[in-house]
Amino acid sequence: MALVRNGKFFNAIKNNLRKCCFPFSRVLSPLSAKHGCEPYFSTKPNQTEGCYSTKSKSSFKRRLLGIQILSGVGLLAWIHQQVKDDNGDEKSKWAQPVRVLVARCSSNTDFNQKVGSRAVVDSDSLKKTRLGFVNDNNDNGQKKVGPHKNEMGKISLAAAIAKSQELCLRRKDEVGSPGIAVCVSVDGQQVYAEGFGFADLENHTPMRPNSVMRIASISKAVTATIVGKLVEKGQLDLDKPVQHYVPEFPEKEFMGEKVTITVRQLLNHTSGVRHYKPDDDPVDAFDRPLADLLGKVKEVADLPFYKVGPSTSSKQQSPEEKSQSGTSEDASRTPPIKKKKKEVTEMERKEYFCTKRYPTTREALSMFQNDPLSAKPGSRFLYTTFGYTVLSAVVESVMDTPFPTAMIRTLQRLGLKETYLDENDPIIYNRAKYYMKNSKGQVINTPYVDLSYKWAGGGLLSTTEDVVKFGNVLLYSAQHRDTDLGPRGFLKSSTVEKFWQPAGKKGRMARYALGFELSPAREHFGACERHGFGVGHTGAAVGASSALFILPRSLPYQSMRSRYVDEESAGSSSSAVIEAAGRNKRRSISESNESSHPMNVSGLASNQAPQGVVVAVFINMVGVQARDVAENIARAFEDVDFSL
């Protein structure tokens, strides 16, 4: 048999049989050995190597191309015949795997391609199989109305996974990152986790869901959770001045006016405490134009009145000198064209690559505590990691414990066993490497940094699986009320409600709460895409980018429930009608999905918390946007019907 002698096509068929219908490999293995092909079968899921003939394949390549195709079709027909009973009807046990095999082997000659840490098949027939076209038996009687969704707007789990894989690979290819990891849970149960590419390029270590990486500013959400617990116990007041807990923190002024910074303002980035600076200038680059303007006004105010105006040289030029020099009065008044200064990104600032070790929080405060404020506290949103360093000093004072110790104890109580302080000395298994790009666009290793100055704002390591656990802790706390059955949440529902309230009504303040980023529920126009309320945090560290996104199905408090109001008509009298209609429609869809949810077989009530989708995405490359990937994956799994 030329098919077996060549070996390549045979191995593709055999590997697909291994995946779809295990018993058939026992029939084909003796056949391969008989014709000089090393029989091969492995139960390892990621092993895609096959057997090859001992004879040279190159001598058969041209002569046997047509014979391969004919032999392959004949072999598939023979296999298909074996799964029929005496009446000619397909046996239900093997009918579907054989149809999948035919779709894989007959429609595409590029069989198995290695992508990251998984093997995929590029076949339209296989994609249709994943989306539910093969399974004609529909237990719940819902009619399939399209390639992706049923008439209730739901998709299968396989379709959501395929969508997630596509989103991750797109982002990995777009930015050229070495690896990306993703983990998804639905209603408290992990349903999907995968790694793509490499956690370590130099050693070809594949990226996995348990790869440990920097979570960057997701650490702020963990710190906010610690603060929330202290607020519940009555040990911390969000509206007290910082100096009430940290007396050594200096009093602040802004524009000559004494101002007060509160704990709440530290949490929602309205304290005015500066962020990373690009050089030795204590004023942040964002506010430098304002500082320059104030400096010029002060300079002019100190001049005598007769010197105010266009500057003139001490020596007057005669008309002849002006004609000889080729200048004129109008030309001398023409201001020179100033080149626009290149904006310095956060990753290009010196403090971002700090290598100094700060043994205590008080020593870390010395980096910035004497610098002027960038804005008046409470007046505007200015993102700052140093504000959370001040917050860690507050927590340290209230708990009478060093902040690193308080953080480790909280992580243990939360059950996050794979989450650590980002320290260089300890041996941390599965720790990934971090990468950036040089001026030529080449991937290089990141330099060493010490994050002891920002444990609270960006100093943690974790895995996607552990961060998803943390998201479920928050989701459970938000949905579990005191009157509900079951164990109490880590935080009270009322506390989560307070911490998930936006800092303001406009701009960034409307999309940030107390340590959490918000994605407000919205529907701009009828029959357009709706977005339910979401919450989480993103992160950007040296050599890593991260995102946590939580998409609740419902919340017990009215202020966070899904609203579908056109922003342009928010003040109109019909807004309440639109809101109620959208809420009722969403409730009916949610109840339909809960009734068919397979997680209910575990014995839990269908409405027991947590109810929603939690997604974590990590990328081991600096400066990569991960939030949109996490949110799109979450919204894809929100539409999953597990009965499909």
Side-chain angles (χ1 to χ4, degrees):
M1 293 176 62
L3 170 67
V4 181
R5 288 176 65 188
N6 181 270
K8 183 177 180 180
F9 192 79
F10 170 81
N11 286 315
I13 296 174
K14 188 175 179 183
N15 289 335
N16 286 295
L17 283 171
R18 175 171 58 83
K19 298 175 184 177
C20 301
C21 40
F22 172 80
F24 291 135
S25 63
R26 301 178 181 176
V27 178
L28 294 180
S29 292
L31 184 62
S32 63
K34 180 179 178 182
H35 290 272
C37 183
E38 184 74 14
Y40 170 81
F41 182 80
S42 174
T43 57
K44 295 181 179 180
N46 290 333
Q47 207 164 0
T48 57
E49 295 83 356
C51 59
Y52 294 91
S53 173
T54 56
K55 296 183 179 182
S56 174
K57 294 186 293 180
S58 59
S59 61
F60 294 98
K61 186 173 182 180
R62 297 182 180 178
R63 299 185 294 169
L64 304 180
L65 179 59
I67 301 176
Q68 287 180 4
I69 299 174
L70 294 176
S71 301
V73 174
L75 181 60
L76 290 172
W78 177 81
I79 295 172
H80 194 270
Q81 185 68 26
Q82 303 306 310
V83 298
K84 290 188 177 183
D85 56 19
D86 297 335
N87 298 327
D89 297 330
E90 293 179 343
K91 298 177 181 179
S92 59
K93 184 176 181 180
W94 303 111
Q96 180 173 334
V98 169
R99 283 200 298 270
V100 175
L101 176 66
V102 173
R104 286 183 173 181
C105 295
S106 63
S107 65
N108 199 330
T109 57
D110 296 327
F111 298 100
N112 288 333
Q113 300 175 356
K114 200 69 175 175
V115 180
S117 61
R118 64 190 184 90
V120 299
V121 177
D122 186 13
S123 171
D124 294 337
S125 301
L126 177 59
K127 291 178 181 178
K128 291 181 180 180
T129 302
R130 285 177 174 174
L131 296 175
F133 279 92
V134 171
N135 185 13
D136 296 326
N137 298 325
N138 197 356
D139 297 335
N140 58 8
Q142 293 180 346
K143 181 181 177 182
K144 300 285 173 59
V145 296
H148 297 289
K149 297 184 179 181
N150 61 12
E151 58 188 9
M152 291 296 294
K154 299 297 179 180
I155 63 176
S156 65
L157 175 62
I161 292 176
K163 178 66 174 176
S164 302
Q165 293 170 340
E166 181 182 4
L167 289 170
C168 290
L169 289 174
R170 279 183 183 178
R171 184 52 46 88
K172 179 181 178 297
D173 295 339
E174 288 169 358
V175 301
S177 64
I180 182 172
V182 60
C183 182
V184 183
S185 75
V186 178
D187 297 347
Q189 301 290 333
Q190 182 176 311
V191 296
Y192 171 60
E194 191 168 7
F196 306 85
F198 296 100
D200 185 347
L201 276 176
E202 294 169 317
N203 297 302
H204 277 206
T205 304
M207 180 70 76
R208 298 185 178 93
N210 65 342
S211 296
V212 179
M213 284 187 280
R214 290 170 178 155
I215 66 174
S217 291
I218 298 179
S219 307
K220 292 181 174 68
V222 182
T223 302
T225 304
I226 297 175
V227 173
K229 196 67 177 176
L230 296 176
V231 171
E232 279 185 1
K233 295 179 179 179
Q235 298 177 350
L236 183 61
D237 188 343
L238 295 179
D239 297 315
K240 287 280 188 180
V242 173
Q243 289 77 12
H244 179 79
Y245 302 103
V246 188
E248 60 270 26
F249 190 77
E251 299 283 347
K252 292 296 181 181
E253 293 184 358
F254 185 77
M255 302 288 288
E257 176 186 358
K258 287 188 176 182
V259 293
T260 301
I261 300 176
T262 65
V263 178
R264 185 187 302 274
Q265 292 167 348
L266 292 173
L267 282 165
N268 60 24
H269 300 283
T270 60
S271 65
V273 175
R274 71 171 179 85
H275 198 34
Y276 302 109
K277 63 182 180 182
D279 46 36
D280 295 334
D281 187 353
V283 182
D284 187 55
F286 185 83
D287 294 282
R288 185 175 287 111
L290 177 60
D292 291 343
L293 177 61
L294 293 175
K296 290 179 180 179
V297 171
K298 184 178 180 180
E299 180 182 353
V300 171
D302 294 337
L303 292 175
F305 72 94
Y306 55 84
K307 289 189 177 181
V308 176
S311 60
T312 58
S313 61
S314 58
K315 182 179 179 181
Q316 297 288 337
Q317 284 185 328
S318 63
E320 292 80 4
E321 291 176 341
K322 290 182 180 179
S323 61
Q324 290 177 2
S325 61
T327 60
S328 63
E329 185 177 356
D330 295 335
S332 63
R333 293 184 179 180
T334 304
I337 299 176
K338 294 183 179 180
K339 293 183 179 180
K340 187 176 181 181
K341 189 174 181 179
K342 181 182 177 182
E343 184 178 355
V344 179
T345 63
E346 179 180 294
M347 290 71 181
E348 296 174 336
R349 303 183 179 188
K350 293 180 180 179
E351 288 180 333
Y352 197 72
F353 296 91
C354 176
T355 58
K356 182 179 178 180
R357 178 74 177 177
Y358 290 92
T360 65
T361 305
R362 298 298 193 274
E363 293 180 61
L365 291 177
S366 64
M367 291 181 63
F368 59 89
Q369 66 178 0
N370 294 320
D371 293 342
L373 297 178
S374 298
K376 184 178 180 180
S379 63
R380 57 187 296 192
F381 181 93
L382 286 176
Y383 191 86
T384 169
T385 294
F386 288 136
Y388 273 71
T389 303
V390 181
L391 190 62
S392 66
V394 173
V395 173
E396 202 171 77
S397 176
V398 172
M399 299 183 68
D400 196 21
T401 304
F403 183 80
T405 304
M407 174 65 78
I408 293 173
R409 289 178 181 174
T410 303
L411 295 175
Q412 292 173 347
R413 294 185 64 189
L414 293 172
L416 306 182
K417 299 179 181 180
E418 299 296 326
T419 305
Y420 319 89
L421 295 175
D422 189 355
E423 296 178 292
N424 184 64
D425 294 341
I427 300 299
I428 298 177
Y429 294 101
N430 299 317
R431 191 189 319 217
K433 295 292 184 65
Y434 308 114
Y435 301 96
M436 60 190 300
K437 291 185 178 181
N438 60 16
S439 58
K440 297 180 180 180
Q442 297 172 328
V443 176
I444 60 174
N445 292 308
T446 57
Y448 166 77
V449 293
D450 191 299
L451 304 182
S452 57
Y453 70 96
K454 59 172 183 179
W455 295 130
L460 295 182
L461 301 172
S462 190
T463 66
T464 55
E465 295 175 327
D466 244 23
V467 169
V468 165
K469 289 180 183 178
F470 172 65
N472 280 312
V473 169
L474 295 173
L475 186 58
Y476 184 93
S477 299
Q479 294 175 332
H480 184 82
R481 292 167 293 192
D482 296 337
T483 57
D484 293 341
L485 299 176
R488 58 191 177 92
F490 184 80
L491 297 175
K492 294 180 180 179
S493 178
S494 58
T495 303
V496 179
E497 177 187 7
K498 181 186 300 183
F499 274 67
W500 286 3
Q501 290 288 345
K505 297 182 179 180
K506 295 182 180 180
R508 291 288 303 275
M509 296 177 71
R511 299 191 299 273
Y512 202 92
L514 300 180
F516 296 91
E517 295 175 356
L518 306 178
S519 179
R522 63 189 183 276
E523 181 185 36
H524 294 290
F525 303 100
C528 293
E529 186 177 8
R530 297 187 300 271
H531 290 285
F533 170 79
V535 65
H537 215 290
T538 56
V542 177
S545 305
S546 59
L548 165 66
F549 192 81
I550 305 170
L551 192 60
R553 295 192 188 278
S554 62
L555 290 171
Y557 31 88
Q558 177 68 26
S559 59
M560 289 296 174
R561 289 181 181 175
S562 298
R563 295 186 176 91
Y564 301 107
V565 183
D566 183 358
E567 294 179 355
E568 296 179 359
S569 60
S572 63
S573 59
S574 61
S575 61
V577 178
I578 299 174
E579 176 183 345
R583 189 163 56 248
N584 293 336
K585 183 176 182 180
R586 184 174 181 82
R587 186 182 299 114
S588 64
I589 295 176
S590 177
E591 291 173 355
S592 173
N593 191 55
E594 288 174 357
S595 63
S596 60
H597 201 291
M599 302 299 179
N600 297 341
V601 299
S602 62
L604 299 176
S606 61
N607 60 349
Q608 182 170 341
Q611 291 289 312
V613 182
V614 181
V615 178
V617 175
F618 291 177
I619 304 172
N620 57 345
M621 173 69 77
V622 65
V624 179
Q625 178 63 257
R627 182 203 167 96
D628 58 335
V629 177
E631 182 172 354
N632 289 333
I633 291 175
R635 299 199 184 280
F637 276 88
E638 183 187 27
D639 294 331
V640 167
D641 186 344
F642 289 89
S643 65
L644 295 178

